[in-house]
Amino acid sequence: MGNPFGKWPVKPVELLFISILITLVVLSVQLLDSQLDRKMSLLKEEAVNLLEMRLGRKITYKSISPSILGFLAVRELKIYSSAPEAFVLLRVNRLKIKYNILKLILKRDIAGSLSEIQISNSNFDFDAQRDREVFEFLRDLTTGQKEKGQTIALKLSGRSINVRFRSGKHEFRLSKLFFTLAAQKDYLKLTFRCFAEVNTSSDVNRALRITSRVKLNGKLDPALSWADMSVRIYSLNTPDFILGRQTFQLTYREKILEIRKIQDRAPIDLWLIFDVEQRQLVFKVNSDKFTPASKIQFTGRLDYFNRFLNSSLTAAGSIEY
């Protein structure tokens, strides 16, 4: 059998050097693996302790599995109320706590390596009166709090989530929800897309039902004192009409809500202003040879009026209420 190194025979000194090098590599890998196992164990403890400490709530889970891909996989997470009876406040089927593996290995700040909480493939059912503590919980996750002299703010995100929210006789459903909510220096950055459904009564057979596909992105104050967002409605369906794709700019400052139609070549401008404290509403419209059929179609009992939508409309006016 020939020399595998061809024309260059391996000298005993070189063999010794290669053997030592291989041994050092193996020992380094074993040492790194042992250190990583220890860090992972500390990371699991720190992640749960950090959430419980920040939220002031007890947390239990079925399993938590660390991954070198940069996340902790948590299954069947239960978050308990801060009330004395400590009932289950929120259930999450799957949750990932993401971390920076370099910070985990090279630094002693375990909590500082945590970067994001991601909820996936979960269903939630909320009531406006019953579940006020849930909304406080979600707010606490994204507003940085002081821990050991530094601010820790975790990015919150969701994938493939279904939500039902009830408030009085109104019911809102969000399906296939994807979102991110990240704390910046002095505001929250939000992206959001889903299929939405609104029912005006608990009796869905008699209710006014509205469905839509929505995408939203922008920023808001953690205390909800102001907001600046772009809202795109890909479609909106009601029993009486279908509205085509629209994009609106939504701003809320000093108790004034403004919604204005943007990013559209259609020769029409819509502007709504609502004073929350005074309960005053102003709606303005300005159009120049606008064809309503390009944006709206009547259905059901209003189908007869579609013949008028192909007319050209030029108008300007406002309504105050």
Side-chain angles (χ1 to χ4, degrees):
M1 185 174 180
N3 187 347
F5 294 93
K7 298 180 179 179
W8 296 278
V10 180
K11 298 179 180 179
V13 176
E14 293 173 341
L15 282 175
L16 178 62
F17 176 77
I18 293 173
S19 300
I20 294 174
L21 182 61
I22 292 175
T23 301
L24 290 175
V25 170
V26 171
L27 291 175
S28 299
V29 170
Q30 290 178 343
L31 180 62
L32 180 60
D33 184 62
S34 175
Q35 183 183 18
L36 189 58
D37 286 343
R38 185 175 60 85
K39 292 280 189 179
M40 287 293 186
S41 179
L42 291 174
L43 180 66
K44 289 194 297 182
E45 295 178 8
E46 189 72 20
V48 174
N49 290 339
L50 179 64
L51 289 178
E52 287 188 335
M53 177 185 63
R54 175 183 294 187
L55 302 174
R57 295 167 174 88
K58 178 184 176 182
I59 295 174
T60 62
Y61 51 87
K62 182 178 180 180
S63 65
I64 179 168
S65 305
S67 169
I68 61 172
L69 298 179
F71 64 87
L72 297 172
V74 185
R75 293 184 179 275
E76 297 185 22
L77 177 73
K78 293 180 181 179
I79 302 169
Y80 292 82
S81 169
S82 57
E85 57 269 24
F87 57 87
V88 176
L89 179 69
L90 195 63
R91 290 181 173 87
V92 181
N93 295 335
R94 293 183 181 181
L95 183 140
K96 288 182 179 180
I97 302 176
K98 296 187 178 182
Y99 60 89
N100 186 312
I101 193 168
L102 293 180
K103 289 184 178 181
L104 177 65
I105 296 175
L106 301 178
K107 297 184 178 181
R108 295 182 179 180
D109 183 14
I110 303 297
S113 68
L114 302 176
S115 60
E116 180 180 352
I117 295 177
Q118 183 184 91
I119 304 168
S120 61
N121 302 315
S122 296
N123 301 310
F124 301 102
D125 190 338
F126 299 133
D127 183 274
Q129 296 299 321
R130 182 194 67 198
D131 299 318
R132 290 183 179 180
E133 191 178 347
V134 172
F135 308 122
E136 295 176 2
F137 158 74
L138 296 175
R139 181 191 62 196
D140 291 346
L141 278 178
T142 55
T143 53
Q145 297 193 6
K146 295 293 183 179
E147 169 64 12
K148 296 180 181 179
Q150 61 179 327
T151 298
I152 301 175
L154 299 181
K155 177 180 177 182
L156 178 64
S157 65
R159 299 174 58 86
S160 192
I161 296 174
N162 298 312
V163 178
R164 185 174 73 161
F165 175 76
R166 287 167 292 170
S167 178
K169 294 183 179 181
H170 303 288
E171 180 182 273
F172 306 87
R173 291 178 180 267
L174 305 178
S175 59
K176 298 181 180 178
L177 169 62
F178 292 75
F179 74 90
T180 60
L181 186 61
Q184 305 299 313
K185 184 177 181 180
D186 54 1
Y187 65 90
L188 301 178
K189 184 177 181 181
L190 173 67
T191 63
F192 176 105
R193 60 183 171 92
C194 70
F195 289 91
E197 177 183 330
V198 179
N199 292 297
T200 59
S201 170
S202 58
D203 183 354
V204 296
N205 293 321
R206 293 186 293 108
L208 171 62
R209 183 170 179 266
I210 301 173
T211 60
S212 180
R213 186 163 71 94
V214 181
K215 181 179 180 180
L216 180 151
N217 64 79
K219 54 187 179 180
L220 67 157
D221 177 58
L224 302 181
S225 62
W226 62 265
D228 188 354
M229 300 183 183
S230 172
V231 182
R232 172 164 292 182
I233 300 174
Y234 289 91
S235 64
L236 189 146
N237 300 274
T238 77
D240 297 318
F241 66 87
I242 299 174
L243 185 67
R245 190 173 78 171
Q246 305 286 329
T247 303
F248 299 93
Q249 188 68 32
L250 183 152
T251 59
Y252 177 72
R253 293 181 184 275
E254 299 179 353
K255 301 297 180 65
I256 302 294
L257 173 66
E258 296 187 19
I259 302 176
R260 188 165 188 171
K261 184 175 178 296
I262 61 171
Q263 295 182 4
D264 199 326
R265 294 182 179 181
I268 184 171
D269 186 24
L270 303 175
W271 192 11
L272 183 146
I273 306 172
F274 180 62
D275 188 321
V276 176
E277 287 189 338
Q278 301 297 324
R279 310 296 291 179
Q280 293 180 346
L281 177 69
V282 178
F283 177 72
K284 298 180 180 181
V285 58
N286 189 5
S287 66
D288 182 17
K289 298 179 180 180
F290 171 64
T291 304
S294 63
K295 292 297 179 180
I296 189 171
Q297 177 185 355
F298 291 117
T299 60
R301 59 186 178 181
L302 299 182
D303 182 70
Y304 171 82
F305 295 98
N306 281 324
R307 66 188 67 187
F308 303 110
L309 296 181
N310 289 313
S311 303
S312 178
L313 178 63
T314 298
S318 65
I319 300 175
E320 296 186 17
Y321 176 76

